[in-house]
Amino acid sequence: MSSSGLLFVVSAPSGTGKTTVVEQLVKIVPTLELSRSYTSRAPRANEKDGVDYNFVSRQEFEDRIARGDFLEHADVFGNYYGTGKAETEARLATGRDLILVIDVQGARQVREKRHGVGVFMLPPSFQVLEHRLRNRSQDPEAAIQRRLATARSEVSAVSEYDYVVINDELDRCVAELRGIVLAERARRDRRVDVIAPIVK
Ligand code: 5GP
């Protein structure tokens, strides 16, 4: 048994509220940390470099791809997003669990390379998703339609994940996700060190 932390991979269509859920989750689950991605997209008004993302230029992102620096990377809505390989492995090696919030293309790449626990988050309905997308952004109609179309194709990837949660109500969804993390930690193969001295 390795003392490496568990890697959780969460995907959800844009507008599902995954960031809020996962930020709440890491506040209440000790030794669970949120990974910080790299992106070539420009920071939004409320975002800080090194906090929300590591913001880099397209050129720097492409240099990092060429060097093989990413565990996974994808083009999402015309911008690059990726997870640093070295920092991910270094953090897991400390024994802490890590959560990646990435799109379905990235999740597939992670699955090909290493063990992870996949969680897909769904909105309660497409009607609710559309309502949330319209409410939260001043995006033009075309951008909203594009996000909805992407969401429709992304949800078809749900069968590739180990767990599904519905974000109908924040606290309930966070609690359900917490339950998944705790259950995964309690798997027998993760507890060999704890079991051995008791069951001699
Ligand atoms: P946003 O620009 O709204 O912050 O994120 C857009 C999309 O990019 C979201 O669906 C989010 O899950 C995805 N994303 C964020 N970071 C990563 C990453 O490191 N890798 C991949 N593959 N997708 C990411």
Side-chain angles (χ1 to χ4, degrees):
M1 135 136 190
S2 85
S3 56
S4 167
L6 284 167
L7 183 67
F8 292 91
V9 178
V10 176
S11 300
S14 166
T16 307
K18 56 187 178 290
T19 311
T20 310
V21 171
V22 169
E23 281 174 355
Q24 291 294 318
L25 178 73
V26 295
K27 279 188 196 155
I28 61 164
V29 181
T31 70
L32 176 67
E33 296 180 359
L34 185 50
S35 167
R36 187 170 56 246
S37 297
Y38 289 81
T39 184
S40 67
R41 97 157 151 69
R44 297 182 182 126
N46 56 336
E47 289 178 330
K48 282 199 178 68
D49 183 30
V51 178
D52 300 282
Y53 282 103
N54 296 314
F55 292 100
V56 296
S57 66
R58 283 188 79 83
Q59 184 60 56
E60 183 176 345
F61 202 104
E62 285 169 3
D63 291 346
R64 286 174 180 271
I65 295 173
R67 288 201 301 264
D69 284 357
F70 292 115
L71 172 63
E72 61 75 35
H73 64 89
D75 184 319
V76 186
F77 304 124
N79 293 301
Y80 288 126
Y81 294 83
T83 306
K85 189 160 58 185
E87 48 265 58
T88 301
E89 297 304 340
R91 284 170 83 175
L92 289 170
T94 66
R96 282 167 296 182
D97 299 339
L98 193 60
I99 185 157
L100 310 182
V101 183
I102 63 177
D103 85 320
V104 299
Q105 310 168 70
R108 282 186 191 125
Q109 295 168 39
V110 173
R111 219 172 286 128
E112 279 166 16
K113 289 181 190 156
R114 69 172 338 281
H115 176 74
V117 179
V119 183
F120 201 89
M121 195 184 298
L122 284 170
S125 68
F126 267 91
Q127 252 181 328
V128 170
L129 185 72
E130 185 167 354
H131 183 73
R132 285 180 188 166
L133 282 174
R134 286 187 195 289
N135 270 10
R136 81 164 190 187
S137 76
Q138 295 90 45
D139 284 353
E141 180 61 23
I144 291 171
Q145 289 304 332
R146 191 174 49 150
R147 283 177 191 270
L148 280 170
T150 305
R152 292 234 177 243
S153 78
E154 280 184 333
V155 295
S156 64
V158 64
S159 60
E160 298 169 24
Y161 291 73
D162 303 301
Y163 296 93
V164 177
V165 293
I166 314 290
N167 188 16
D168 47 2
E169 203 264 306
L170 179 63
D171 289 347
R172 199 206 57 76
C173 187
V174 172
E176 199 168 38
L177 211 45
R178 176 173 175 271
I180 293 168
V181 172
L182 300 187
E184 282 294 326
R185 286 179 175 176
R187 291 183 73 92
R188 191 186 61 243
D189 56 353
R190 305 280 315 163
R191 294 246 153 122
V192 174
D193 288 355
V194 184
I195 298 167
I198 303 169
V199 186
K200 283 191 193 130

